[in-house]
Amino acid sequence: MAEFIPPLFSKFGKPTKDLFDYKFGSSLKVVGKTPDGLKLETKLKGTKSPSGNVSITHKEKTHTLEGNLGTGGDASTKLTLLKLAPNLKVGLSAGSSKGKLSGTASADYCRDYVSANFKAKLLTSGAADFDAGISIGTDGLSVGALAKAARSSKDGGKTDPWAFQTKDCNVGFQYEGSDYTTALFTKNWGYDISLAYHHKVSKKHQVGGQFDYVKGKDGAKDISTLTLGTKYQLDDNTTVSALCKTNKKVWVAFSHKLANPRLKVGVAAEFDSSALQLDTKKFGVNITMGDF
């Protein structure tokens, strides 16, 4: 029996999710790197209400340190410990968003046949969110579960610091073949179900599909959606992607890299195929310069 490390539950269906990851917002990003592992990234995004942020990342074999500062006053820092113990990765972060301070601690433990993770986010108001997941597997087959709990900020936990409420609980499985991955996982207490499939046809071509069932709330109609997508690498520098949904949405994307100047350009658009003429609903141009 071959050794097998199952993915974390949060990564079930990830190959399909990555295939469907389209960026519609316009942005300009400049990336610079130094020989000692320091990475500086500056990003400007948006057209109607532009915003920007600067991030600095320093990587070592034993840890990674990140810092982010946004034009809106949001700031965060994160320390990831990679060699604290065998098979264990620990993350510690703190930040401020819209004037609210928070701190997060996480731990991922991945080894043969089992992977587990825990995450806790604490706010200065006393509220807290907790995630805990586990997956076990062998020979490409993995099964797992994830639970989420929270503590209200009404009294900051002063009445009962251990008064937590379970917010969600879900299960799923994933099977990984030599060139394909299929996964089934639930959301919203198991009422919503997703079935994902990804196939690496060749080194340059990949296809995928996902069926999503969302149960209607408060008497609303249940919604079922089928999404099909493909990605093809025309050459070492050019990639095209396409995606369609049964809700009559069509997405297309194009990415190209230039050697001099060192530049990467990505264009993505969403169309509504229900109209006689394809109406553009979303459109984005993303440009990356430097050591991307």
Side-chain angles (χ1 to χ4, degrees):
M1 185 179 296
E3 294 182 349
F4 174 72
I5 300 178
L8 295 169
F9 182 85
S10 59
K11 297 186 182 298
F12 278 20
K14 187 177 185 299
T16 308
K17 295 176 186 176
D18 292 343
L19 182 64
F20 295 167
D21 185 18
Y22 284 65
K23 295 180 174 63
F24 293 106
S26 298
S27 67
L28 173 62
K29 182 164 61 175
V30 180
V31 182
K33 297 180 181 179
T34 63
D36 59 353
L38 186 66
K39 177 181 177 182
L40 176 63
E41 181 177 305
T42 304
K43 185 175 183 180
L44 177 65
K45 59 182 180 180
T47 54
K48 295 182 179 179
S49 301
S51 62
N53 73 286
V54 177
S55 65
I56 300 177
T57 305
H58 186 259
K59 290 186 177 181
E60 295 285 352
K61 292 182 178 180
T62 57
H63 67 276
T64 299
L65 182 62
E66 305 172 52
N68 291 275
L69 178 63
T71 53
D74 294 351
S76 65
T77 182
K78 181 178 181 179
L79 173 64
T80 304
L81 303 174
L82 306 173
K83 301 292 184 179
L84 190 63
N87 309 308
L88 178 66
K89 181 173 72 173
V90 175
L92 302 171
S93 64
S96 173
S97 178
K98 298 180 181 180
K100 297 182 179 180
L101 300 176
S102 64
T104 303
S106 63
D108 297 343
Y109 181 77
C110 303
R111 58 162 300 166
D112 299 336
Y113 314 123
V114 63
S115 294
N117 71 291
F118 176 79
K119 181 179 178 181
K121 181 178 181 180
L122 306 177
L123 301 175
T124 53
S125 62
D129 294 319
F130 300 91
D131 296 358
I134 186 171
S135 58
I136 58 175
T138 181
D139 290 344
L141 178 63
S142 305
V143 294
L146 176 70
K148 298 183 178 182
R151 184 177 69 187
S152 173
S153 61
K154 291 182 179 180
D155 64 354
K158 295 179 181 178
T159 303
D160 184 358
W162 302 104
F164 299 109
Q165 180 180 4
T166 305
K167 291 294 184 180
D168 201 0
C169 187
N170 293 287
V171 296
F173 86 88
Q174 176 170 293
Y175 182 77
E176 303 172 45
S178 59
D179 57 2
Y180 69 93
T181 301
T182 183
L184 186 147
F185 49 92
T186 67
K187 302 176 183 177
N188 187 29
W189 289 102
Y191 289 109
D192 302 343
I193 301 174
S194 294
L195 175 62
Y197 177 79
H198 177 271
H199 184 200
K200 190 174 182 180
V201 181
S202 65
K203 292 182 178 180
K204 295 184 177 182
H205 188 203
Q206 52 183 307
V207 297
Q210 182 164 312
F211 173 80
D212 295 300
Y213 170 80
V214 179
K215 185 175 178 58
K217 297 181 179 180
D218 301 325
K221 185 179 179 180
D222 299 347
I223 300 175
S224 298
T225 306
L226 176 63
T227 305
L228 300 174
T230 183
K231 185 176 184 180
Y232 189 79
Q233 186 177 351
L234 297 177
D235 53 45
D236 292 340
N237 299 310
T238 309
T239 302
V240 292
S241 305
L243 182 151
C244 63
K245 291 187 174 186
T246 51
N247 62 3
K248 301 179 181 180
K249 300 294 184 182
V250 178
W251 300 352
V252 293
F254 172 85
S255 176
H256 183 70
K257 298 178 183 178
L258 297 175
N260 189 19
R262 189 168 176 80
L263 190 72
K264 180 180 179 181
V265 180
V267 180
E270 178 188 291
F271 301 93
D272 184 358
S273 63
S274 61
L276 294 179
Q277 295 180 346
L278 290 177
D279 296 328
T280 305
K281 297 299 182 180
K282 295 180 181 179
F283 183 81
V285 178
N286 297 276
I287 300 175
T288 304
M289 304 172 63
D291 301 320
F292 51 84

